[in-house]
Amino acid sequence: MKDNKKAHDIFTKFLKNGKNRITPERFQVLDVALEMEEHFGADELYLQIKMNKINVSRATVYNTLELLVQCKLLVKRNFGDNIAKYESCFERKRHDHLVCTDCGKIFEFTDTDIYPIIDKICTESNFEFNNYSFNIFGKCKDKSNCTKQNENLD
Amino acid sequence: MKDNKKAHDIFTKFLKNGKNRITPERFQVLDVALEMEEHFGADELYLQIKMNKINVSRATVYNTLELLVQCKLLVKRNFGDNIAKYESCFERKRHDHLVCTDCGKIFEFTDTDIYPIIDKICTESNFEFNNYSFNIFGKCKDKSNCTKQNENLD
DNA sequence: ATTGCTGCAAAACGTTTGCACCTAT
DNA sequence: ATAGGTGCAAACGTTTTGCAGCAAT
């Protein structure tokens, strides 16, 4: 297991601050979330929890994931399929995604040039920045890399 | 009714090109879509169609919307609530969105500085660009403007 | 003791699918 | 004639909700 102590501390502080209760279930959700592969769905996490023989209900998983987003241990993303995907951003660099519409693969990139643009727009629009999402949809040109799950294309 | 002739022509050309059939239902969906307020959901469009006493099924609406996205008369968007939203981009300038997480309002902005960034990333990643999504989430600072539907905040 | 959280199951919601019939080609 | 498209209803998968019991404060 990774060193989740810092993450626990952040979550504890957040929960106390918001008069939310400190429950073992919430920390179990956090622990499993930090172990997940990137970009997991809420239900996927729930099933993983069941597989680990941990007894936490769906309702608690969904509820806790929202809390973890609020305290910025997780980010919530959407890659165009209308399923909420979560991703740890605990001790990770902010990044965005390229989504291949042929094979469904998701690639990460980091580009800081976008930050001043966001700053400018928020200032101009009198908007208090909280988060952003930036996805690029297209096709892997390197087709050896692209399994092309949708064979009905082209 | 707006001048939908050009849009019809684009759709017709696209359908013929892909060996899709030209059916009256598809053009009825297009016409209602072009009349909709910005950012409508598929089911919302279906209900609007029913209200107009037009007889087109849900299946056809969902199917046709995908075709309209493919021929770039509509764009499909997602503002973080896992409901696919559509928006006409027929004779409209490309734009992105600020989403207020307090009141849910969505504001548009246009910023061309992002294009060279997208170009650069696609070139570096050997990616064939098709589309992108860029949303900024935050709060309207001008609270007189913000109805704050979520009174449980702060 | 209070009130928020939990588990469970059912419901809700947007979306997709199966099938028989229809229609554009 | 024959694919492909349609309408309808049922199914699907994700997410939310209602409620009784439980547990953190």
Side-chain angles (χ1 to χ4, degrees):
Chain A
M1 162 120 59
K2 277 187 277 185
D3 171 33
N4 291 349
K5 191 180 172 311
K6 267 195 222 170
H8 279 221
D9 288 349
I10 293 169
F11 198 25
T12 304
K13 192 174 289 182
F14 168 81
L15 290 172
K16 284 189 175 160
N17 230 8
K19 288 147 192 85
N20 297 292
R21 288 190 182 161
I22 313 286
T23 69
E25 288 85 355
R26 287 178 168 170
F27 289 89
Q28 286 171 317
V29 172
L30 171 55
D31 285 338
V32 179
L34 293 178
E35 299 287 312
M36 292 293 279
E37 295 298 304
E38 312 262 288
H39 314 140
F40 56 92
D43 228 68
E44 216 174 314
L45 180 66
Y46 170 72
L47 294 175
Q48 185 60 46
I49 282 174
K50 288 288 124 176
M51 270 168 50
N52 292 3
K53 309 275 187 214
I54 301 171
N55 192 29
V56 177
S57 71
R58 252 199 189 84
T60 301
V61 169
Y62 277 84
N63 166 37
T64 305
L65 285 172
E66 280 316 303
L67 294 171
L68 289 169
V69 169
Q70 282 173 36
C71 71
K72 298 199 185 284
L73 286 166
L74 300 182
V75 260
K76 191 175 186 174
R77 301 195 179 274
N78 190 296
F79 299 117
D81 58 356
N82 302 322
I83 301 172
K85 291 292 187 342
Y86 297 85
E87 182 180 20
S88 165
C89 57
F90 172 60
E91 296 183 338
R92 284 207 67 201
K93 209 166 41 173
R94 167 85 226 192
H95 60 268
D96 297 295
H97 298 87
L98 286 155
V99 182
C100 177
T101 50
D102 264 15
C103 68
K105 279 211 204 78
I106 293 172
F107 304 88
E108 302 184 351
F109 66 88
T110 302
D111 192 298
T112 54
D113 292 349
I114 201 175
Y115 300 150
I117 297 177
I118 293 171
D119 275 353
K120 187 182 66 184
I121 290 159
C122 285
T123 306
E124 280 171 9
S125 311
N126 201 28
F127 219 73
E128 184 189 328
F129 175 80
N130 179 258
N131 207 343
Y132 75 92
S133 77
F134 180 33
N135 296 315
I136 299 175
F137 299 95
K139 304 184 181 186
C140 319
K141 277 194 205 155
D142 175 8
K143 287 301 175 191
S144 64
N145 190 30
C146 174
T147 48
K148 218 178 194 196
Q149 295 170 341
N150 294 313
E151 287 300 342
N152 54 336
L153 297 164
D154 300 336
Chain B
M1 161 123 58
K2 276 188 276 184
D3 171 31
N4 291 350
K5 192 181 171 310
K6 266 196 225 170
H8 279 222
D9 288 349
I10 292 169
F11 198 26
T12 303
K13 192 174 291 182
F14 169 79
L15 290 173
K16 283 188 177 161
N17 230 8
K19 290 148 190 86
N20 298 293
R21 288 192 183 159
I22 314 285
T23 68
E25 288 86 353
R26 288 176 167 171
F27 289 89
Q28 286 171 317
V29 172
L30 171 55
D31 285 340
V32 179
L34 293 177
E35 300 286 313
M36 292 293 279
E37 296 296 308
E38 314 260 289
H39 315 141
F40 55 92
D43 229 68
E44 216 175 313
L45 180 66
Y46 171 72
L47 294 174
Q48 185 61 44
I49 281 175
K50 289 287 126 178
M51 270 169 48
N52 292 3
K53 310 273 186 217
I54 301 171
N55 192 29
V56 176
S57 71
R58 253 199 188 84
T60 301
V61 168
Y62 277 83
N63 166 37
T64 305
L65 284 172
E66 280 316 302
L67 294 170
L68 290 169
V69 169
Q70 283 174 34
C71 71
K72 298 200 183 283
L73 286 165
L74 300 182
V75 259
K76 192 174 185 175
R77 300 195 179 276
N78 189 296
F79 299 117
D81 59 357
N82 302 322
I83 301 171
K85 290 291 187 344
Y86 297 85
E87 181 180 22
S88 165
C89 57
F90 172 60
E91 295 183 338
R92 284 207 68 200
K93 210 165 39 174
R94 166 87 226 192
H95 60 269
D96 296 296
H97 299 88
L98 286 155
V99 182
C100 178
T101 48
D102 265 15
C103 69
K105 278 210 204 79
I106 294 172
F107 304 89
E108 301 184 351
F109 66 88
T110 301
D111 192 297
T112 54
D113 292 349
I114 201 176
Y115 300 148
I117 297 177
I118 293 171
D119 275 352
K120 187 182 64 183
I121 290 159
C122 285
T123 305
E124 281 171 8
S125 310
N126 201 27
F127 220 73
E128 184 189 328
F129 175 80
N130 178 259
N131 207 345
Y132 75 92
S133 78
F134 180 34
N135 296 314
I136 300 176
F137 299 94
K139 303 184 182 188
C140 319
K141 278 195 204 155
D142 176 9
K143 286 301 175 192
S144 64
N145 190 32
C146 174
T147 48
K148 216 178 196 198
Q149 295 169 342
N150 293 314
E151 288 299 343
N152 54 335
L153 296 166
D154 301 335

